[in-house]
Amino acid sequence: MVADQQQREPGGLGPKGGGAPAEQHAVVIGASSGMGSAIVDTLRAQGVKTLALDLPSASWNDEVAGMTGAVDVTDVASVESALKGAEEAFGSVEIVVNCAGILGPVAPTVETSQETFERIVDLNLGGAFTVTRAALELMLPRGYGRIVHIASVAGKEGNPQMAAYSASKAGVIGMVKAVGKEYAPSGVTVNAVAPASVETPLIQGMTPERQEIQKSLIPMHRFGTVQEIAHLVAYIVSPQASFTTGFVYDASGGRADY
Ligand SMILES: NC(=O)c1ccc[n+]([C@@H]2O[C@H](COP(=O)([O-])OP(=O)(O)OC[C@H]3O[C@@H](n4cnc5c(N)ncnc54)[C@H](O)[C@@H]3O)[C@@H](O)[C@H]2O)c1
């Protein structure tokens, strides 16, 4: 059954007469680990049929296993085909959450090669753009959708020795603001979450000294949990979150002050 024939609930009404179908379908990218994995669990627990995507090399834990697939956000064709495949399988895709990202080396800028900078920006920002465009193509004709990217507080404040990472996440924030405004009347919202450090394999890749520096910046004196991020995302992608787009949600334990 296509979305337009389903019973609809208020929220996100666009000019195409869209609105949220009663049955929600989601795609989460970067879903085999960290926040993505927790977001899959949380959405499924809320009754959202959720396809979990990650690199072909990803290994899936028992909780996420079931509805999984492969995608590489640096490969435009791979993203487009994965999202179209999800639409064919589900009938419609209302929610796309992009958690794909890498930190890259934490190192002085003078020791960071051009190739390293470009690889990180291409994946974190270029990938976010590719996912956004492919998701919009599915959602705009239906007049309803929720797109969320995981940016970072590094993109707001800049983290020393993480120039490429910080630049890529600042880029995601700028893109989300632009695209959110551009499609505000469409029924499709485009938002980001900007977490401070969250307990995941990404942060565990830092030296203990660097982890302590990151923690010391957080007024709550602790890292966030993946569940805290997942519940925030679950709200942002809900039909009820219908009057917020182009926005960067905070999840920083008090670190971010704008
Ligand atoms: N952990 C933190 O402290 C923190 C803080 C702020 C923002 N973030 C951001 O949150 C997002 C999720 O990070 P996490 O901490 O859960 O890390 P993670 O390493 O546990 O998860 C990232 C996932 O992205 C996937 N991925 C990497 N390259 C990909 C590609 N080309 N195509 C598809 N998938 C790819 C990885 O396989 C992995 O499963 C990232 O964008 C990260 O930059 C993390």
Side-chain angles (χ1 to χ4, degrees):
M1 182 187 290
V2 296
D4 287 347
Q5 295 166 327
Q6 292 178 5
Q7 188 193 345
R8 288 176 182 283
E9 293 174 347
L13 280 174
K16 304 262 175 11
E23 186 176 278
Q24 300 271 297
H25 311 96
V27 176
V28 180
I29 300 174
S32 74
S33 172
M35 295 180 216
S37 172
I39 291 165
V40 170
D41 290 347
T42 301
L43 292 179
R44 286 183 180 166
Q46 295 184 355
V48 178
K49 290 196 176 149
T50 304
L51 173 64
L53 298 177
D54 210 307
L55 288 168
S57 56
S59 53
W60 297 94
N61 66 32
D62 290 346
E63 286 163 16
V64 174
M67 241 184 296
T68 62
V71 75
D72 181 344
V73 297
T74 64
D75 177 346
V76 174
S78 149
V79 172
E80 288 177 350
S81 120
L83 288 190
K84 282 196 187 113
E87 186 181 52
E88 278 164 26
F90 285 144
S92 61
V93 173
E94 289 73 32
I95 297 165
V96 171
V97 183
N98 173 34
C99 306
I102 53 167
L103 179 62
V106 179
T109 300
V110 290
E111 293 169 18
T112 302
S113 70
Q114 195 68 24
E115 290 72 29
T116 297
F117 181 88
E118 287 171 9
R119 181 173 59 89
I120 294 167
V121 171
D122 183 46
L123 199 160
N124 291 354
L125 175 57
F129 177 73
T130 303
V131 170
T132 302
R133 192 181 49 209
L136 285 170
E137 276 175 15
L138 303 187
M139 294 170 178
L140 290 174
R142 295 177 186 276
Y144 180 86
R146 302 278 184 261
I147 302 171
V148 179
H149 297 282
I150 309 299
S152 170
V153 72
K156 290 180 166 184
E157 297 184 4
N159 281 353
Q161 302 197 340
M162 298 186 205
Y165 184 77
S166 301
S168 71
K169 295 300 185 176
V172 171
I173 289 170
M175 181 197 71
V176 159
K177 289 182 179 182
V179 180
K181 282 196 181 80
E182 185 178 342
Y183 291 101
S186 73
V188 180
T189 67
V190 186
N191 292 294
V193 177
S197 301
V198 176
E199 206 69 77
T200 72
L202 182 139
I203 211 81
Q204 286 148 16
M206 291 179 181
T207 63
E209 294 74 25
R210 185 69 198 204
Q211 288 191 31
E212 278 313 306
I213 292 171
Q214 294 302 118
K215 199 179 285 180
S216 71
L217 297 170
I218 300 175
M220 285 188 189
H221 304 303
R222 67 171 178 85
F223 291 150
T225 68
V226 291
Q227 286 77 21
E228 286 171 319
I229 305 303
H231 286 291
L232 176 59
V233 170
Y235 167 70
I236 301 168
V237 301
S238 70
Q240 289 74 25
S242 49
F243 199 47
T244 306
T245 193
F247 187 67
V248 182
Y249 285 80
D250 173 66
S252 71
R255 176 173 163 185
D257 50 18
Y258 80 100

